[in-house]
Amino acid sequence: MHNLAELALRVSHVRSTVLITGESGVGKDVFCRMICRFAGSPDYIKISCGNLPENLLESELFGYEAGAFTGANRTGKRGIFELAGDGVIFLDEIGELPPQLQVKLLTVLQDRRFYRIGGTAPLPMNARVVAATNRDLKKEVAQGSFRRDLYYRLNVIPVHIPPLRERTEDILPLAEHILLRL
C-alpha cells in the first residue's frame, strides 16, 4: 500500500489519463480518490459505465440540449464532462462501455471537447479522466470487443492494484488502522 500511495502522489502531478486495473474490491476507487486528494482537485465525479443503459449513460456523460429527445428536460442538462470542470472524472467499469460510446469517449479524449446530445456547439473538456476495470482489456482488444485506440488513449499511465492475498504484508497495518478508527 505504501508503494501505491507513492504512485498516487507521483501520478497526481501529471494530467494524463490513468487506467487502474485489478479485481473487484481491491480499492480502485480509493486509489483514484488518493490521486484527487494529492492533486488538490476540487471536483471528483464517479460514474459506473456498467450500471446504466447506453442511452442514459450517454446523456449522463455528455448532457443534452433542451428538446433533444422525448422526455428531455425543457432546459437541457449538463453532463459529467461539463460538470467536472477542472476536476477528475472517474469512469468505473470502463470495460462495460458499449461500442458506440467507446467511439465518442475516444473523440473526447483526443479533441478535449464534446457536444451535448442535440447540441451544435462544442464544449471544452478540461477534466482529468481516470478509468478502472476488473477486465483484461488487452484480451478484449484482441477479441475485438474493446477499441484498441481507446485502450491506448486510456492506458497512458497504467496502474495495477493487486488483491490483498498477493500483498499479505498489508494485512496487519490495515487491521491496526481499522482498530484505531473503531
Side-chain angles (χ1 to χ4, degrees), residues 9-170:
L9 179 61
R10 285 195 315 264
V11 167
S12 71
H13 299 299
V14 182
R15 295 282 298 176
S16 299
T17 56
V18 178
L19 179 61
I20 306 169
T21 59
E23 295 178 10
S24 294
V26 296
K28 296 181 287 288
D29 182 44
V30 172
F31 186 83
C32 183
R33 287 181 188 272
M34 267 197 284
I35 292 171
C36 294
R37 189 170 43 249
F38 289 143
S41 181
D43 297 308
Y44 170 82
I45 299 178
K46 175 184 175 180
I47 188 165
S48 174
C49 299
N51 287 346
L52 299 171
E54 182 175 349
N55 57 348
L56 185 55
L57 181 59
E58 182 177 13
S59 69
E60 288 296 314
L61 290 173
F62 300 99
Y64 56 84
E65 296 292 338
F69 51 85
T70 304
N73 187 322
R74 289 185 304 164
T75 59
K77 179 182 174 189
R78 296 187 329 158
I80 287 172
F81 288 125
E82 194 172 348
L83 291 170
D86 294 329
V88 175
I89 298 170
F90 181 50
L91 300 173
D92 199 12
E93 300 179 37
I94 194 71
E96 306 287 334
L97 197 65
Q100 179 75 14
L101 288 181
Q102 289 181 28
V103 173
K104 288 187 173 195
L105 178 59
L106 176 64
T107 302
V108 171
L109 293 175
Q110 287 175 333
D111 299 343
R112 304 298 294 174
R113 61 186 182 147
F114 64 97
Y115 293 86
R116 286 184 180 173
I117 298 171
T120 56
L123 299 169
M125 200 284 286
N126 299 321
R128 177 183 193 167
V129 174
V130 177
T133 185
N134 60 4
R135 292 183 171 197
D136 183 349
L137 289 185
K138 275 187 181 179
K139 184 177 173 183
E140 297 207 10
V141 165
Q143 294 171 346
S145 58
F146 198 85
R147 292 183 62 97
R148 179 180 310 276
D149 45 5
L150 177 58
Y151 171 73
Y152 287 114
R153 185 65 67 171
L154 290 170
N155 199 35
V156 175
I157 301 175
V159 175
H160 178 73
I161 301 178
L164 191 56
R165 70 177 174 277
E166 293 178 12
R167 45 189 178 93
T168 55
E169 67 278 2
D170 289 339

